[in-house]
Amino acid sequence: GIQKPAWLEALYKEKFFVACPIHENARKNEKNVCCLDCCTSICPHCVPSHRFHRLVQVRRYVYHDVVRLEDLEKLIDCSNVQAYTINSAKVVFIKKRPQNRQFKGSGNYCTSCDRSLQEPYIHCSLGCKVDFVLKHYKDLSPYIRPCTTLQLSPDFFVPHDMGDDDMTYETPHSTIVDLDEPMCWSFGSSGSETMSVGYTGFVRKKRSGLYVCGRLANRVSEEDMATSISRRKGIPHRSPLC
């Protein structure tokens, strides 16, 4: 039969978004990364063991596996495959999503599964394009691109703690820590206590895109906390009355 690259088979056949058997007792152990060199699906806790391998993050969109177009384009020619936008990134479906149509109207339809598409696309997924190329040209090699390194995006969260306790980052002798993801502070309800920190902290509010830089000192005062909180909430500044 016609051979496909092993990583392509893995991307197509591996199960993602299931619990990782190696880290079954850990939090955030959903397998959402494909290691292209080992041809297997891994969870965030596995990533440090594969850090020198080519890794691609698999995401979910309308209950199907997708990969960022930017990542796939480094591996294979994705021209004529319809991309979709999620979280400001273009993604491509990995597998076919067949859609039976008894009566075809005018317009574009996928070459492999009859799904309606926008102009000028003719494939609705990477799998559909691969099947089309192999059926008509019998050779996928002109479409495969040489790619020796492929790393996860900087915002991908890699937990440091392998246990099932709360994840902690301990650096007693350093004031600046190279964190994989900004840490979020949780402020107590009393508001009377000050908080000790030993790293550069960032307060991150999802969707707002606003980052408030924490102090490098070892203590944060009530006033600093109040200022940070009010900045996060975006209290409006009133103009003076004339």
Side-chain angles (χ1 to χ4, degrees):
I2 300 172
Q3 294 294 316
K4 299 178 187 176
W7 63 261
L8 186 58
E9 289 281 7
L11 202 57
Y12 205 80
K13 293 183 177 179
E14 277 291 309
K15 282 192 175 180
F16 298 97
F17 302 98
V18 294
C20 174
I22 302 172
H23 302 100
E24 57 185 353
N25 295 322
R27 296 183 183 180
K28 299 183 183 292
N29 67 344
E30 209 173 43
K31 297 200 287 184
N32 62 348
V33 173
C34 185
C35 177
L36 305 181
D37 292 321
C38 299
C39 297
T40 187
S41 53
I42 61 175
C43 79
H45 297 273
C46 300
V47 167
S49 303
H50 297 258
R51 63 185 179 277
F52 298 118
H53 296 172
R54 293 173 300 165
L55 303 177
V56 63
Q57 183 179 358
V58 179
R59 302 160 195 256
R60 294 286 276 175
Y61 182 55
V62 292
Y63 306 106
H64 291 277
D65 297 341
V66 297
V67 172
R68 285 198 316 170
L69 178 62
E70 181 183 351
D71 292 335
L72 269 185
E73 282 282 6
K74 295 173 183 174
L75 299 161
I76 188 170
D77 178 3
C78 294
S79 59
N80 297 322
V81 180
Q82 181 163 316
Y84 299 82
T85 303
I86 58 169
N87 297 336
S88 303
K90 285 190 174 183
V91 298
V92 167
F93 284 96
I94 297 174
K95 300 177 183 177
K96 291 183 178 184
R97 297 166 298 136
Q99 189 175 53
N100 293 326
R101 294 181 177 275
Q102 292 180 333
F103 305 102
K104 288 189 182 181
S106 59
N108 276 20
Y109 289 89
C110 179
T111 52
S112 301
C113 68
D114 285 348
R115 182 171 287 274
S116 61
L117 302 172
Q118 299 172 358
E119 295 278 355
Y121 303 107
I122 58 173
H123 312 291
C124 78
S125 69
L126 177 64
C128 291
K129 170 157 187 175
V130 168
D131 285 357
F132 177 83
V133 170
L134 291 179
K135 181 180 177 181
H136 291 86
Y137 303 106
K138 313 296 183 188
D139 185 11
L140 197 60
S141 56
Y143 297 87
I144 302 297
R145 292 173 173 167
C147 177
T148 54
T149 59
L150 186 61
Q151 295 299 314
L152 298 169
S153 58
D155 62 347
F156 184 82
F157 176 63
V158 180
H160 287 201
D161 185 12
M162 293 300 178
D164 54 2
D165 297 329
D166 285 334
M167 294 173 190
T168 56
Y169 297 82
E170 294 184 338
T171 51
H173 303 296
S174 174
T175 54
I176 297 179
V177 182
D178 183 18
L179 296 179
D180 290 293
E181 179 165 291
M183 293 290 287
C184 293
W185 290 335
S186 153
F187 299 103
S189 56
S190 63
S192 59
E193 297 291 327
T194 57
M195 184 187 227
S196 295
V197 292
Y199 53 82
T200 305
F202 289 90
V203 177
R204 179 180 185 178
K205 187 176 181 184
K206 286 188 176 179
R207 300 186 185 280
S208 69
L210 180 64
Y211 289 78
V212 181
C213 184
R215 296 288 185 262
L216 286 175
N218 283 334
R219 303 190 65 81
V220 180
S221 66
E222 279 185 55
E223 185 180 354
D224 290 335
M225 286 188 186
T227 305
S228 296
I229 293 172
S230 61
R231 278 185 193 158
R232 276 198 303 161
K233 289 183 177 175
I235 295 173
H237 297 283
R238 302 184 184 280
S239 58
L241 297 174
C242 298

